[in-house]
Amino acid sequence: MGARFAWDASWASSGSSFLASPCATACTAVLGLAAAVALVLFAPPALAAEAPGNFHPTPISATPNRQDGLAAFAQLERVLRHPRCLNCHVPDSPLQGDFSRLHYPPVQRGVDGKGVAPLQCATCHSTKNSPLPHAPPGLETDGKPGWHMPPANMKMNWVGLRGAALCKVFREPKTNGNRSLAMLEQHMLTDHLVAWGWSPGPGRALPPLDKAAFDEQVRTWIRNGAPCDATEPLRKSVGTTKAEAARDVADHLRALASNDQHLPRSQP
Amino acid sequence: MISFRLNGQMQQVDVPGDTPVLWVLRDTLGMTGTKFGCGIAVCGACTVHIDGEQRRACVTPIESVAGQQVTTIEAIGGDRIGLAVQDAWVKHDVVQCGYCQSGQIMAAVALLKTNPKPSDADIDAAMSANLCRCGTYVRIHAAVKDAASALA
């Protein structure tokens, strides 16, 4: 499927398996269209957290400069390895605080990255930061508590990684949540949980770059071919954005539904 | 005006949207069964259920529960799981000073609603976010286990 269906991890698996199994004859066009509409209307939560509005992906330069790209990632790395990011990009249970201590209480990641009932992230992380120091931070997603870490099937663990190793885990769809470079840029620039890192509430250190500088380094890294080391080929395409991928999926399903109309129905 | 269901009844309150649910319960509505402990979602004394899931009322803005079902300690005995936990609490004489016990019971019910047959480790993990300065943890553990057995 390639980058066309690169997507949020949990959704990608079900979406791609659905696409890989075209409707049998008994499957009507109505079902296909309903699925297409549902996919567009009920996009995965990660979509809702990222402003789709005016995002335009940074194209890769016709004359990319590897050194400039590597220098930009070196700046990004300072942020990625900061506790505001790294505390949840971990192998198992989250860490907390500026010293990345073990999380209290000893919560678990859970399948969806939102904890294991009855002790979920939302138990203590509400819809907004508390004004009081030492309280769990919060943020809102569609009116509900939105705190979470990466899901179990895509842990996006960065602990112990530096330089090129971190860069590749960050860049490659198979380890970054099935994100193309365009989706990765959108995530970095517009995701509200990423942005929370710069509004973490009282008593928490800010990342070493401000958000505007961080965004600019993301663009610079991508514009220069998203390099991770001195030898590998530079990237030539940023792939699809989330909106484009959503349209592709919907179009594909509509085409399937349309084809189904011409298939003979199974006999009762 | 913010509307929500409180223990099964429609409730409307005229407070700023960022008022914590705990303040609304205790100060606006006079329901003092839910306790103020640390005020920063660390001790668990203020635990309530929002649409069946446990939440720390001290950091939950009232606007975020609009249209949802809030259940407090006052109504937790209204179903068989809550009743079994209350019975087990009495049987094991769990309470010492009692201040944390509203939250402990809310956490125990939340556990048994999601995991009817918790192991010892499950109980320890689920109850680990509720602190008890009297140290009644052994009795809490035994009561949760007993309630699960009674419900089996």
Side-chain angles (χ1 to χ4, degrees), chain A residues 183-206:
Chain A
M183 293 177 190
L184 188 58
E185 182 187 0
Q186 185 170 4
H187 181 63
M188 292 297 121
L189 269 58
T190 68
D191 183 271
H192 69 333
L193 184 51
V194 174
W196 171 89
W198 283 269
S199 303
R204 294 184 183 87
L206 295 172

Side-chain angles (χ1 to χ4, degrees), chain B residues 97-144:
Chain B
C97 88
Y99 200 81
C100 71
Q101 298 295 323
S102 299
Q104 301 283 1
I105 288 174
M106 298 304 285
V109 172
L111 167 63
L112 294 177
K113 286 192 172 177
T114 55
N115 184 356
K117 296 179 181 175
S119 65
D120 287 337
D122 292 336
I123 295 171
D124 286 343
M127 302 302 293
S128 65
N130 289 74
L131 304 183
C132 172
R133 292 188 68 176
C134 301
T136 63
Y137 298 111
V138 174
R139 297 202 295 272
I140 289 171
H141 186 111
V144 173

Side-chain angles (χ1 to χ4, degrees), chain A residues 104 106 118 122-123 126 128 136, chain B residues 40 54-56 59 63 128 131:
Chain A
Y104 167 82
T123 299
S126 73
K128 57 178 64 175
Chain B
I40 54 172
Q54 60 172 336
R55 298 277 190 272
R56 301 296 186 246
V59 294
E63 64 192 358
S128 65
L131 304 183

